[in-house]
Amino acid sequence: MTFVDDAAGDKSIDNDDDLLWRHLKTVPAFRALLRAVEARFYRQVAIPEPVLDLGCGDGHFAQMAFRRPLLAGADPWWGPLQKARRSGAYRLNVQALGDALPFPNGAFASVISNSVLEHIEEVEPVLVEAARVLRPGGRLVVTMPSHYFTKYLGGAAVLQPLGLDDAYRRFFNFISRHAHTDPPERWAERLGAAGFRVTRWQYYFSKGALRALEAGHAQGLPSAVLHALTGHWILGPWRENLRLTERWVRPYFEEEAPASGAYLFMMAEKVAGEPIEPTLPQAQPFSLEELRATQEPAAPERAEADPVVEAGEALDEGAPVLDEAVQAKSEGATRQTEGAAPQAQRSIAPEPAKAAGGPAPLVYGLALLALLLGLLAQSVLSSRPAEPWAGVRLYGISLAALLGAALLRRGLSDGARRPSLSSMPRDRLLYPMALLLALLAQRQAGSDLSGGRAGTALFLWAAATALAIYALWPHNRSGTLLEEAMARIRRADFSAPALLLPLALFAVALILRLINLPGHPFMLNGVEANLGLEAAAVARGEIANPFATGWLTNPTLPLYLLALPLQLFGQTVFGVRLLSAVVGAMTVVAMYVAGSRLWERKVGLIAAVILAGSHLHLHYSRLGMSNVWDPLWVLLALGLVATAARRGTRRWWLAAGLAAGLSAYFYTASHLLPLMLAGVLLYLFLANRERIWQQGSHLLSAGALALVVALPILIYYDGHPGVFMERANVLGIFQSGWLTQEAATGGRSISALLGSQFWQAALAFNYSLDTSSTYNPGIPLLRFWPAVFFVLGIGVAVSRLRRLRESILLLWVGVTVIFAGALLVNPPASHRLLVAAPAVALLVAVGLTWTWRRLLAMAPALRRHDVAVLALLAVLITAGDAVFYFGAYRQQPRRFGDRNTEVAFEMGKYLESLEGEWTAYFHGPPTMYVDFPTISFLASEFRPSQNLYNVFDPEEPLPRPQQPTDDLVFIYLPERSGELAQTAERYPGGQQRAISGIFANPLFYAYEVHR
């Protein structure tokens, strides 16, 4: 056993019976107070052995409350369960859900569950399962928040005059992960339904105690960081260090039981294996005198039979035990969940600084750096012992980050050619902490898709980003960052003329993207359905890692955004496509702002109008695919880099770094934007080396911020080699071997093939035809007039290569054409080239405005209506795109998708329309199978291998569903429709339907059998 040694220290406080002190030495004050109060109850009641701790967590509570190990601890979370195993608080540790315990009936005499049930949304099955594993007359001891929990919150009382009290209560319940805060009567009903009779109960924790706990959440944040770094909540567990904390919480520990408290203690007895009439006796609180009385710590009172032998016999029937073999099998997951702490940690206290710029920042910064390097290195080395040098990269990143921060205080343009760490302001020293928070966010997300804590990970990631921005922000003026931001807001132009045009552009673009959104394109393709299914898995909590990759290595973070409309509108075509429409409209507004800042308002307006009506951008803004995000992030990142380079201020560089970091969570942008940024920086260095040297500290700050933002997914990629380049390796003409194979079989030279690949990709906007089944419009990606001005815009940009803004456009299009077109098989594929849509629209605008200026030289009178005429011309040019997309393209539906996609779409709609419980058998193989994602997305009640089956041979017996249903439906592709007669003979009296389609008529047959 590794229980805390209470023998040393002040005997008046540090003794075996002072549960408060035992907890204060090991956990934050708010948790120590609550758990110490609860532990006293378990010392006052008899808890017969053998005992099951249901929801044991990391075992800390049992370690504090009981002197002898309990028989078993069960918990669904692997990481805490490993800690419980090491604590020695249980003889057996079992990973299991509360409603599916791997124990035989009547295996235990007692079940305890301390502050667990309130976190379980469907708690009734858990209580039924607890009753099953209890013997007749067995005892259940539980604690949970009462209905007074939210009523007593101090923050709610403060915010009540503002009408924000209910919002605060919901927020506090959210961070506390409470699914229930109910009165004792409701818990008595639940217990009665599970066969329990309440024998004793009481309230505990007064309003004052709850408000101390509430304030302690904020006070405990440093302890949370410390625990993540060192594995210990408290580094100085001696009396002098905790005197004030103990003095603060001791009165609440010593208070008498309140008449109405924030928490409930309940004891119940199993009286039946079925529901009984709920009973709730009068509250019978323990007096403070009783609780203070010396008593052998809880139970486990001895049963008549030897509990170890008896429990061993019960568990021999097959309960899975967390033994060494299981531990070894899940070693990787455990390390990611639990994390690795430095082997030894000591408090580092630098000498007080004599002045603001003295040596203290240097010492403190080096201390934080050492802590960071130790954590990062041990994390990597412990997770991959076979690669002892794997941590070197993270050492380099951390060191570069801190050294870069040292340059942030003194710009090189000020003549400070040798900036030092001692000149670094204290705010910059928060940057290593931001890196730590980003690393902790990745730790909370886990190493796979399902084992993380998404809410905690996202919160830590957002906190890391905010802290990094604050640390890197230019604090060279008086006032705080918030005051400066408010001043900028007050100076901003929020007049109607300034806001009206962007709002109008957004509204028009959104309307174009919402018109008949579920019906055009006319069906849901497999890509949309796959992403929709993963977003639905996010909503259900099955995907709990926002910093990983899922289907076809697409990053999972966008799925969390896609899950929102799916929760609002269900698994529908509209639900999966709505977010893309909004993102597309946002990109139009971003285009207007970027064009106006980098060129002039007329260029921004024309480019926004062109993009709003572009048939390419329109189409992908109406599909439930993640591609439409990529143009937005690349536009923001490159636009902000160009603005920052021109203005030379750190604020703009930080904005660029933020956009670049966020782009790492979107597939195409994460692969192409680094190449574009490298090209831009090289251009800046070659074109104006002195200016870049002057802005070196700003560049470093942008890179430092981007590192913090992107760090969680970068660590994921580092831990999963090959994932980042997986699709490129499959589709790349070099990596896949396509180029050499095509040269050998086609009789063409490699140089000829490369030339063909390049021209097919380069001419996609004005000549080549799309090869992608996700669009395939049958025309180039630009229609005639936009293509004319696009080519003209390229010529103008080439003539202005010395200007950064035009060079960025050429680099943007060039990188896209080469790396997303020529170097991949089957160019041009529109979904890969979509990322360049904003650059193309800007080049069209540049070409049009250049032409307009030539016309103005011949007719100066037109200058008075300059912007209006250009806007009208842009509308006329792009109107043809909208007319084509909603007209000619809609009238040629066969260009979108294929027959199998339509079969899946119509089959999903058909199955969803069936009322009642059905089992479906699909006579489609080998042409098509039931695992086509569109079917499962639209027909959410049907699951392959559960109630939806492939039928390969009609002569073989049909698969039996997991849960038999009353009705059967048989679906046949036309080529297998001859088998329908055989089915009708076996199941006479059914109803036959023929479902028509566009790619085939009939598309498929259905035979419904009602039994």
Side-chain angles (χ1 to χ4, degrees):
M1 295 289 288
T2 56
F3 290 109
V4 175
D5 182 10
D6 294 317
D10 189 335
K11 300 295 182 182
S12 64
I13 293 179
D14 198 9
N15 59 71
D16 287 344
D17 294 323
D18 194 330
L19 284 167
L20 178 61
W21 179 241
R22 287 168 60 89
H23 281 80
L24 280 174
K25 293 192 300 182
T26 55
V27 293
F30 73 93
R31 181 177 167 187
L33 173 61
L34 179 62
R35 296 295 177 252
V37 169
E38 291 166 343
R40 287 194 303 189
F41 294 129
Y42 292 86
R43 291 197 170 201
Q44 300 305 315
V45 298
I47 305 178
E49 289 184 346
V51 182
L52 168 66
D53 188 350
L54 182 58
C56 65
D58 59 8
H60 181 269
F61 181 78
Q63 191 182 23
M64 293 288 104
F66 301 96
R67 282 186 173 168
R68 292 192 296 272
L70 304 182
L71 176 63
D75 199 275
W77 298 104
W78 182 262
L81 202 62
Q82 283 286 79
K83 294 182 181 179
R85 181 179 182 273
R86 289 194 297 271
S87 74
Y90 309 95
R91 291 187 175 91
L92 302 171
N93 289 100
V94 180
Q95 185 179 23
L97 294 172
D99 58 355
L101 296 171
F103 301 110
N105 297 342
F108 298 96
S110 304
V111 172
I112 66 171
S113 188
N114 194 73
S115 290
V116 172
L117 301 181
E118 69 270 20
H119 302 299
I120 305 173
E121 189 167 349
E122 296 183 9
V123 72
E124 289 81 2
V126 176
L127 294 174
V128 171
E129 186 72 349
R132 183 188 67 79
V133 300
L134 270 175
R135 302 167 183 172
R139 176 162 292 177
L140 176 70
V141 184
V142 294
T143 60
M144 71 284 286
S146 75
H147 58 300
Y148 290 108
F149 181 89
T150 52
K151 293 181 181 179
Y152 286 170
L153 288 172
V158 172
L159 295 173
Q160 187 172 8
L162 302 176
L164 299 175
D165 50 325
D166 287 338
Y168 179 81
R169 291 186 177 99
R170 289 193 298 270
F171 167 75
F172 207 85
N173 261 337
F174 171 76
I175 64 173
S176 301
R177 296 180 291 119
H178 288 163
H180 310 284
T181 51
D182 297 326
E185 292 80 7
R186 180 70 183 102
W187 283 107
E189 291 175 5
R190 291 188 178 114
L191 290 168
F196 287 105
R197 176 174 58 87
V198 177
T199 58
R200 181 169 186 164
W201 71 278
Q202 74 168 82
Y203 288 110
Y204 65 98
F205 234 59
S206 65
K207 182 188 293 186
L210 178 65
R211 293 183 176 181
L213 179 143
E214 185 180 2
H217 275 75
Q219 185 215 34
L221 184 59
S223 295
V225 175
L226 186 66
H227 181 263
L229 298 178
T230 68
H232 301 280
W233 293 100
I234 308 296
L235 280 187
W238 48 82
R239 184 181 179 188
E240 289 302 319
N241 189 42
L242 297 172
R243 181 185 298 276
L244 293 179
T245 302
E246 187 224 352
R247 193 174 296 171
W248 171 42
V249 298
R250 173 71 64 180
Y252 302 113
F253 179 71
E254 299 292 349
E255 67 182 5
E256 290 283 357
S260 55
Y263 284 82
L264 288 169
F265 168 77
M266 279 191 162
M267 290 175 30
E269 179 184 7
K270 177 183 175 180
V271 298
E274 58 187 18
I276 63 172
E277 189 70 24
T279 58
L280 185 70
Q282 290 290 326
Q284 188 180 352
F286 289 105
S287 67
L288 185 59
E289 183 178 352
E290 288 178 294
L291 294 174
R292 283 175 173 171
T294 303
Q295 180 177 327
E296 176 68 11
E301 75 176 18
R302 291 285 181 178
E304 293 182 3
D306 188 338
V308 177
V309 175
E310 186 174 352
E313 292 173 354
L315 292 172
D316 280 342
E317 298 181 21
V321 179
L322 189 66
D323 56 12
E324 296 296 335
V326 178
Q327 180 188 4
K329 181 178 179 181
S330 302
E331 184 177 0
T334 304
R335 285 170 178 155
Q336 290 294 333
T337 305
E338 184 182 338
Q343 295 179 358
Q345 290 291 339
R346 294 187 179 181
S347 177
I348 301 174
E351 292 296 325
K354 297 179 181 179
L362 173 61
V363 178
Y364 183 52
L366 291 176
L368 286 177
L369 177 62
L371 191 62
L372 174 66
L373 291 178
L375 179 66
L376 290 175
Q378 187 161 341
S379 169
V380 174
L381 297 180
S382 64
S383 62
R384 285 179 291 175
E387 301 179 29
W389 295 104
V392 171
R393 284 168 291 181
L394 294 179
Y395 274 101
I397 291 172
S398 303
L399 183 60
L402 191 61
L403 292 178
L407 300 175
L408 300 178
R409 179 63 174 171
R410 298 171 62 187
L412 298 179
S413 60
D414 295 334
R417 295 295 181 180
R418 296 181 181 176
S420 63
L421 286 173
S422 62
S423 66
M424 185 166 54
R426 292 179 183 274
D427 289 338
R428 303 291 182 259
L429 297 172
L430 294 174
Y431 178 74
M433 187 58 67
L435 275 174
L436 288 175
L437 287 177
L439 176 62
L440 294 177
Q442 191 275 335
R443 286 286 190 84
Q444 291 297 313
S447 61
D448 53 21
L449 285 178
S450 59
R453 298 179 178 179
T456 305
L458 289 171
F459 173 79
L460 289 172
W461 180 58
T465 302
L467 185 60
I469 293 173
Y470 178 80
L472 299 169
W473 196 261
H475 299 298
N476 56 344
R477 298 181 180 179
S478 59
T480 64
L481 178 61
L482 180 60
E483 291 170 346
E484 184 179 346
M486 294 303 298
R488 286 182 171 273
I489 292 174
R490 287 192 293 270
R491 293 195 301 269
D493 185 4
F494 291 113
S495 60
L499 294 177
L500 188 58
L501 187 54
L503 290 175
L505 286 169
F506 178 81
V508 171
L510 185 60
I511 290 171
L512 285 173
R513 285 153 176 77
L514 290 179
I515 295 173
N516 192 20
L517 184 61
H520 183 51
F522 75 99
M523 62 181 172
L524 191 78
N525 69 22
V527 178
E528 297 176 274
N530 262 314
L531 293 175
L533 287 172
E534 290 208 329
V538 167
R540 294 192 300 269
E542 296 170 7
I543 294 180
N545 187 346
F547 311 129
T549 59
W551 177 73
L552 290 184
T553 69
N554 282 273
T556 54
L557 183 61
L559 299 176
Y560 284 77
L561 301 173
L562 182 57
L564 297 177
L566 287 183
Q567 287 184 299
L568 290 174
F569 301 101
Q571 290 185 202
T572 61
V573 179
F574 182 81
V576 80
R577 289 178 174 176
L578 175 61
L579 181 62
S580 293
V582 175
V583 173
M586 290 168 54
T587 309
V588 170
V589 178
M591 170 64 72
Y592 168 73
V593 175
S596 300
R597 285 190 175 275
L598 293 174
W599 281 268
E600 52 185 327
R601 189 161 66 97
K602 66 181 74 172
V603 173
L605 178 59
I606 294 169
V609 172
I610 296 294
L611 189 67
S614 161
H615 69 87
L616 170 67
H617 197 261
L618 256 178
H619 179 74
Y620 284 99
S621 298
R622 297 170 61 86
L623 291 183
M625 297 169 61
S626 58
N627 303 65
V628 75
W629 282 97
D630 297 306
L632 176 61
W633 288 116
V634 175
L635 171 63
L636 289 174
L638 294 181
L640 288 166
V641 165
T643 304
R646 190 168 74 173
R647 298 207 173 188
T649 60
R650 181 172 298 149
R651 295 179 183 85
W652 286 104
W653 280 111
L654 286 176
L658 178 63
L662 290 172
S663 72
Y665 297 92
F666 298 84
Y667 181 81
T668 306
S670 66
H671 288 68
L672 296 186
L673 183 59
L675 298 172
M676 298 175 189
L677 290 174
V680 171
L681 294 178
L682 178 62
Y683 171 87
L684 290 172
F685 181 78
L686 296 176
N688 198 335
R689 187 177 309 177
E690 184 61 29
R691 183 170 179 81
I692 288 301
W693 185 252
Q694 291 172 355
Q695 297 186 27
S697 62
H698 304 335
L699 272 168
L700 284 173
S701 67
L705 178 57
L707 174 63
V708 168
V709 176
L711 186 60
I713 198 166
L714 294 180
I715 294 176
Y716 177 85
Y717 285 135
D718 184 66
H720 297 77
V723 169
F724 184 74
M725 295 300 294
E726 180 182 318
R727 298 305 298 162
N729 291 334
V730 172
L731 300 173
I733 60 175
F734 292 103
Q735 304 95 310
S736 66
W738 176 90
L739 187 63
T740 54
Q741 182 180 358
E742 192 70 13
T745 58
R748 301 175 65 187
S749 67
I750 289 181
S751 59
L753 285 171
L754 286 174
S756 174
Q757 287 281 115
F758 175 79
W759 287 113
Q760 286 293 323
L763 298 177
F765 298 102
N766 52 6
Y767 179 76
S768 304
L769 300 183
D770 179 23
T771 61
S772 171
S773 62
T774 56
Y775 187 19
N776 185 26
I779 63 172
L781 302 182
L782 289 176
R783 296 179 74 253
F784 178 76
W785 284 110
V788 168
F789 289 111
F790 168 66
V791 174
L792 186 59
I794 290 178
V796 173
V798 170
S799 69
R800 299 173 179 173
L801 270 178
R802 294 184 63 85
R803 297 183 183 179
L804 176 62
R805 61 193 187 189
E806 278 84 6
S807 299
I808 282 182
L809 295 183
L810 295 176
L811 180 66
W812 188 345
V813 174
V815 168
T816 304
V817 165
I818 294 173
F819 291 94
L823 297 183
L824 301 180
V825 297
N826 298 325
S830 57
H831 62 284
R832 302 172 192 160
L833 302 179
L834 176 68
V835 68
V840 171
L842 279 168
L843 286 168
V844 172
V846 168
L848 181 56
T849 52
W850 182 89
T851 305
W852 180 248
R853 288 194 184 94
R854 307 287 84 77
L855 292 175
L856 287 179
M858 296 182 289
L862 295 174
R863 193 178 300 275
R864 240 190 311 181
H865 308 288
D866 191 14
V867 176
V869 173
L870 275 174
L872 179 59
L873 285 174
V875 170
L876 292 175
I877 288 172
T878 197
D881 279 46
V883 171
F884 163 79
Y885 184 73
F886 290 106
Y889 181 70
R890 181 173 171 78
Q891 293 167 10
Q892 302 178 52
R894 283 174 174 260
R895 291 195 168 277
F896 181 75
D898 52 31
R899 190 194 75 155
N900 280 7
T901 303
E902 188 182 13
V903 168
F905 177 66
E906 294 296 340
M907 184 174 161
K909 291 198 304 180
Y910 166 72
L911 291 175
E912 184 67 12
S913 69
L914 297 176
E915 297 182 358
E917 299 292 330
W918 292 77
T919 298
Y921 297 95
F922 182 48
H923 295 247
T927 306
M928 183 179 165
Y929 300 86
V930 296
D931 56 358
F932 202 104
T934 307
I935 302 173
S936 298
F937 180 80
L938 294 175
S940 56
E941 298 299 321
F942 288 83
R943 289 286 181 269
S945 301
Q946 294 183 11
N947 59 351
L948 178 61
Y949 298 94
N950 290 308
V951 177
F952 296 92
D953 185 351
E955 299 297 333
E956 294 182 357
L958 295 176
R960 294 185 178 181
Q962 292 186 358
Q963 296 182 351
T965 59
D966 295 332
D967 301 318
L968 306 177
V969 59
F970 300 85
I971 299 174
Y972 303 84
L973 292 182
E975 54 265 37
R976 292 189 60 179
S977 59
E979 300 166 11
L980 196 155
Q982 183 178 349
T983 303
E985 183 178 348
R986 184 185 302 179
Y987 300 97
Q991 182 178 2
Q992 180 178 333
R993 298 177 184 270
I995 309 299
S996 61
I998 292 172
F999 282 91
N1001 193 8
L1003 197 61
F1004 60 84
Y1005 298 93
Y1007 184 72
E1008 302 171 3
V1009 179
H1010 298 274
R1011 296 192 298 176

